[in-house]
Amino acid sequence: MTLYRIGQLYMISKHSCEQSGDGEGVEVVTNETDSHPQYGKGQLTEKRIYLSSKLPSWMKAFVPRIFYVTEKAWNFYPYTITGAYVSFLPKFSIRIETRFENNNGDNNNVFVDKPTPAGNVIYLDILSDPIPEKHYVEKEDLSLWQSSKTGRGPLEKGWTDDHTPIMCSYKRVHCSFEVYGFQTRTEEFIHRNIRDILLIGHRQAVAWIDEWHGMSLEQVREYERTMQEKTNSKLKSIIAQPAAAASRPAFSRSMSVTDERSLKKMGLMTAAMPDPSASAGPRSPIRFNSTTE
């Protein structure tokens, strides 16, 4: 498990830095040790994820021109909890529980409460499952990849049945966005993007193994600190709000979940709008399973 943990920390740090720039990306606000009465010592991380231009056009209609998602993660490896929220969208929430185990995804009750219904389980294969074409990188294609340090690779069809060592990342995802007229589309958009993030991230963790293999936990934590400094510096332009943007309002549109006039302007019917306080709860959780070395 330690080897996987180092690879995961390396991947997250490098990926966040690569994806940050031009006022968008991941700003690390807090990264400090923490403890939990049940799970012991761990790490608390708070991030601000700027992603305005990455939203679909229909979603941009009701969010500010510049905004960020706040993500808090409690890492008590091999168990983690991640939560995300947006301050101006009180009905938006994401909660992800993760547990890592040394198996190929065959544990049907990994969270030891009640098994997730089979219809809500998605198995992700970092070798064969498709990713968006814009994220494809040939050297991260695990059907072509080979590690010079470990001699592993390339992966072949059926690798999850006979490959050792093997690790599975189990994820239980709850997402909710209770805005009338947008709930289903938004929740589907979130689930689809979480799936893509998991696939891309785990592919990279394996493909970059020659970069992090042999690191100690202390060394990868130092790498993490270095990359966080680089990542945060890339985002200074949006955090400082340069004078060039002063003539342009920071927000293009903001809408309350009960603002019927705004909804009507967008062509949505409001006659049957339910009372937000009586809204249905989050959809059934989906557990994302992915496997990697």
Side-chain angles (χ1 to χ4, degrees), residues 175-225:
C175 78
S176 178
F177 184 61
E178 298 174 28
V179 174
Y180 181 72
F182 290 95
Q183 182 171 356
T184 300
R185 268 202 299 183
T186 302
E187 291 179 0
E188 288 176 350
F189 171 79
I190 292 169
H191 279 301
R192 185 170 62 252
N193 276 270
I194 289 175
R195 173 194 176 280
D196 290 343
I197 290 169
L198 291 175
L199 273 175
I200 294 165
H202 284 82
R203 284 163 61 104
Q204 290 175 332
V206 175
W208 296 343
I209 192 171
D210 287 346
E211 299 176 28
W212 56 260
H213 192 275
M215 278 187 170
S216 66
L217 191 56
E218 291 74 21
Q219 287 174 324
V220 79
R221 284 295 185 192
E222 180 59 34
Y223 174 82
E224 184 181 49
R225 284 189 288 272

Side-chain angles (χ1 to χ4, degrees), residues 53-210:
S53 70
K54 295 179 174 61
L55 299 178
S57 57
W58 58 266
M59 189 177 287
K60 291 179 182 178
F62 60 89
V63 301
R65 180 177 61 84
I66 297 173
F67 83 102
Y68 59 82
V69 175
T70 298
E71 176 196 279
K72 285 190 176 182
W74 291 264
N75 189 341
F76 304 103
Y77 196 87
Y79 178 71
T80 68
I81 305 170
T82 303
Y85 65 90
V86 181
S87 60
F88 65 90
L89 291 176
K91 296 294 184 178
F92 170 89
S93 66
I94 300 175
R95 174 186 167 88
I96 303 175
E97 294 174 84
T98 305
R99 187 172 289 280
F100 304 95
E101 288 195 345
N102 291 319
N103 57 51
N104 66 352
D106 58 0
N107 188 342
N108 293 323
N109 192 15
V110 69
F111 295 103
V112 196
D113 44 23
K114 59 180 181 180
T116 303
N120 282 0
V121 176
I122 300 174
Y123 293 90
L124 301 183
D125 186 337
I126 57 174
L127 171 65
S128 58
D129 282 356
I131 61 172
E133 186 177 351
K134 63 182 178 181
H135 293 300
Y136 177 81
V137 178
E138 185 174 335
K139 63 182 180 181
E140 296 170 6
D141 186 334
L142 301 185
S143 67
L144 306 173
W145 155 85
Q146 188 165 19
S147 166
S148 59
K149 276 190 177 182
T150 67
R152 298 173 186 171
L155 298 184
E156 298 178 351
K157 184 178 180 181
W159 70 278
T160 57
D161 296 325
D162 54 23
H163 209 286
T164 57
I166 192 167
M167 170 72 74
C168 182
S169 170
Y170 294 85
K171 297 197 178 269
R172 180 160 59 182
V173 181
H174 303 254
C175 78
S176 178
F177 184 61
E178 298 174 28
V179 174
Y180 181 72
F182 290 95
Q183 182 171 356
T184 300
R185 268 202 299 183
T186 302
E187 291 179 0
E188 288 176 350
F189 171 79
I190 292 169
H191 279 301
R192 185 170 62 252
N193 276 270
I194 289 175
R195 173 194 176 280
D196 290 343
I197 290 169
L198 291 175
L199 273 175
I200 294 165
H202 284 82
R203 284 163 61 104
Q204 290 175 332
V206 175
W208 296 343
I209 192 171
D210 287 346

